[in-house]
Structures are given as structure tokens and as C-alpha cells.
Amino acid sequence: MIRTEEISFHIGTFELQRLSINIAKGEYFILLGPPGSGKTIFLECLCGLKKIKSGRLYIDGSDVTNIEPRARGIGYVPQDYALFPHLSVEQNIAFGLRTRGCKRKEMQSKIADTAELLEIRELLLRRIHGLSGGEKQRVALARALVLQPKVLLLDEPVCALDEVTRQEVCAQLLSIQRRLGLTTIHVSHNLEEAFTVADRAAILKAGVLQQIGSLDELVNKPSSNFVARFMRREKHILCKCDGPGKAEPDPPCENR
Amino acid sequence: MEIVLDTPVRGWRDRIFSAAAFFFVSVFVIFVLTLIITDIFYVDKKAVATVLTSKFIRHALWMSIWTSCATTLIALLFAIPMGYSLSRFRFPGRIIVDAIVDLPIVFPPLVAGLTLLVFFSQTALGRWIQNDLGLVFVFQPKGIVLCQFVTSASFAIRSAKTAFDDVDRRYENVALTLGCTQFASFRRVCLPLAKNGIIAGGILTWARAFGLFGPLMIFVGSFRNRTEVLSTTIFLEQSIGNLEVALAIALLLIFIALIAVTCIRLVGGSTLARL
């Protein structure tokens, strides 16, 4: 559903290096990595908000490398949500529909359906200013989902929320994703989120993809010390095998 | 002297500090108020009546208003795309362009008038525009607008740029993913969010244009019923010894300025504070 072929991008001294990821239809994929590892940049490349230097991007089988963001069929929820502060909740959700010249009746029914799905019907007439973090998150999600995107890209969707809300929202994200069968990429630096929602995960460090696989694989067969440490397996010792009977341990992870 | 309500507990040193700061505030405010009150006290009732009834002063007032408003509109027409470009696009020479935008704020308005006069009367291009193209500016009402534009458009451009700088890029980015072209995201997201700053810039431009005097005397002169605006009227009246009338017109200008300042506070005080 989403396929990247060796995409590269650089900005300043940071470089996203030849990233190849293949995400199946209906998969909930989580992209992990410490802050500054290029997760957001990767999402922005997928959105078309940043023009990649080389490589190719496919969404739903078609090459979107040179397609404008508006025609890629993606739903994007940026970090901190970027809800339009000059519009009401309802106008925010209607924004994309209005851009596409949607008829009023159709628009109203779509907004109502989406509001129902995310349980935000009572918020529709509110201003953005004064919404709580969890409410903003749902409104931002509604604004993306109302356009029925093919893929959903979430940038740190629960990062700004408190512990309890975070759990709730993650569960809600997963249930909505399952119900709509929506291919989703969720970017996060938080391991707990990954265990709550993800089918598969990838770990990024300084623009380089470290490992990609199920969480089980990442936990039990980390490909490097970095991955092991990221997955909280401090005691994991990696061995290099140069032929039978001769195993040399990598320098063990420093305990934190 | 309680300035802020939730101040910390203060000792005598802190009191001296705030008193010293407030000293300058009061000196300035009292000085400005005294000047205005003096005007009000010394203005002659008959002169006020003359000003309010005189035909040529009404004409000058009308000229002042329409030229400054036209200037403001043209300035905004330039300021919005220019401010957006300077805020969003990275192009070679951007810093130089930025400096050139500020130039008319820095150099004395008189210089603008002189430069315009030299351009239109001495250079081939200027003469071609005036004679062959038929766009006559020198000693014409059109010239007033041109003068005002040159000296005051920078304020609109500068504040439009600041206003666009304050609009987070991410709003536009999201709009792009929601189906907008770059122009649509500019119109539906960026422009509404930058509105207050742009309006504040427009008011600044208008105020500068409205009170402009020096370059007008050089470039368009002050012909009664033709290129005379209120600020040049004051000078003319004063120069023929008609101080009472000059003062009455001055009060009229102060009154209009007062309205403008109030509008700025109402529309975008915070944006303006950072210019």
C-alpha cells in the first residue's frame, strides 16, 4: 500500500538515507526513533511536503513521487495537530471537503458521520482555542478522516497528552484503524505506544533505518545494540559469528 | 504605584527601580499631553469656524483623505505578496531585497521627494513616462500618491512580512494535504491568520501618508485647490502669518491621528508592538 524505494532527503547536516519501507494494506505501522532521527521528515516526504532528492514513492500502487500533496490521497495529522485557530471545529473538519467543492448536504452528512465515529459531536460549534489536548487530537483526526484517505499518517499523535488520555487515545486509534481498515503510519518515540497499537515497527536513527519487523522480532532479535537498547533490552548481548564454533561478542550495551 | 497586579514582594531598591522607570513614562506622557492642551487652549474659535467652512481647506482635507487611502490600498496590494515572498521564499539576494524594503523608512522623506523630482524631470525614462506615456506626476495629485507610496509602503510591507512570519508553516502544510493548492492555502489559512498584522501595517502606512509634508512640497508643490493637502496647508497658512488657522488645522490633524492610534490599538496592538 505504501512503498518507498531508497528515498533520500537532506536538510542542513541531516540526511535521510536510502529508506526503503513496504507497508501492507490495512497495516498499523509504527515508526520509532529518538527525537531528531528524521521520523517527521520521513512523514513529510510521504505527504509531499518535502521534495525527496532521490528514490521513488508509491501509494496504493501508483507512483506519487512527483504528485502534489493535495492529490496523494493521504490523511495527515501533524504533531500538535495544527488545527486552524481562525475556524470553528466544524469548519476545521469541513476544510478539506470545501476545498474539493463538496455539496452542502453531502458535506453535512460526512461531517456528522465522522463526528459520530470520533465522538466529538458536542464539540462541533466550539472554537479551537479552549479545546483540551485529547479533544484537539480527535478533531485533527476527524479533519483528516472526513476525506476518506487511502492512508493515514500520524505524527506523534499522543505525545502531547497525559498518561491516561494517551492510553485511551491509542486504543481508540487502533479500533478506528481496524474498523476502517486504514493503512496507518504512526510516528513516535515512545515504546509503550508501539506495544499498544502496532502490527509492525521500524526503528530509525539519524536518518538511517536500523531494523524493520514485528515487535517480537525487534525485541528478541535486535540487529544492533542500538535497537536492543531502544527496545529496553539492556542485557542483550549481540554476537558476531564468523563461521562455526567461533562467536565474538559485540561490545555490550552500556547500562543506563 | 502598582503596575502589575501579581508582583512579587518588593524591597526599597525595587521601588526605586520602578519609580525611575515610571519617571520617564510620566515625563513623556505629560509632555505630549501639554502640547495638545496648549493647542486646544490657544486655538481661536473664529479660526476653527473658518477651517470648518472654508472651501479650499475642505478641498485639502478631501485631498488628504483620498490620497492617503489610495496610497494605503496600493501599498497593501504590494505588501501582501511581497511580505509573503519575503517570509516564505528563499531566493538569492533575499537579504538585499529585505534591506531595500527598509530603505525608505530610514532615509529622510525629503530625499524621496527630491529623488522623484530628479527622476521625472532629468532622466530619459522619467521624461518618457511623463511625456510619451502621458502619466504626469510632477505637480499633479497623482504625484501626491506616488510620493506617499514611496515613503510609506515600507511600513505595510514590513508588517505584512512580520505577520506572515508569525503564521506557522504547519498550518499551510496541513492545508496542502487537505486538498489546497499553494494559493488556496495562502488565501484560506495564511491570509486570515495574518490579517491583524496586515491591517496594522495598513494603518501605519496611512498615518505616514496622511501626515506627509516635505517631499510633497518638492515634488508636487502646494497649489490651492489642486495639490494642497492638510499638512501643506498648515505650512502655507503659517508662512503667510495666519497662525490661528494653521493651529485649527493642526487640531484637526491631531484629532484624526487620535482616531488612527485608537484603531491600531483595537486591531493589532500586539503585532504593532514588535515592529
Side-chain angles (χ1 to χ4, degrees), chain A residues 100-119:
Chain A
R100 285 170 197 199
C102 191
K103 295 223 171 55
R104 175 167 294 180
K105 260 213 172 116
E106 199 188 341
M107 188 148 78
Q108 273 166 354
S109 81
K110 278 185 174 177
I111 292 173
D113 291 348
T114 314
E116 187 75 40
L117 179 73
L118 289 154
E119 297 157 22

Side-chain angles (χ1 to χ4, degrees), chain B residues 153-226:
Chain B
S154 298
F155 291 100
I157 301 167
R158 178 61 37 203
S159 32
K161 180 189 180 288
T162 317
F164 286 128
D165 281 343
D166 285 349
V167 177
D168 199 320
R169 254 324 240 294
R170 287 178 312 138
Y171 293 126
E172 281 172 274
N173 281 346
V174 172
L176 292 179
T177 69
L178 292 172
C180 283
T181 56
Q182 284 196 352
F183 174 71
S185 85
F186 164 75
R187 190 178 61 82
R188 293 185 55 197
V189 177
C190 203
L191 203 53
L193 289 175
K195 188 185 69 191
N196 284 358
I198 294 170
I199 293 175
I203 293 171
L204 269 183
T205 303
W206 177 83
R208 167 107 165 191
F210 190 77
L212 197 68
F213 163 70
L216 295 182
M217 290 303 281
I218 296 180
F219 190 58
V220 294
S222 184
F223 300 112
R224 203 127 266 184
N225 278 331
R226 203 165 111 214

Side-chain angles (χ1 to χ4, degrees), chain A residues 147-171:
Chain A
L147 295 173
Q148 295 163 324
K150 286 182 250 176
V151 301
L152 184 62
L153 307 176
L154 308 168
D155 192 356
E156 299 275 12
V158 296
C159 168
L161 308 177
D162 65 87
E163 201 68 43
V164 181
T165 322
R166 202 182 289 180
Q167 291 286 328
E168 273 172 31
V169 171
C170 275

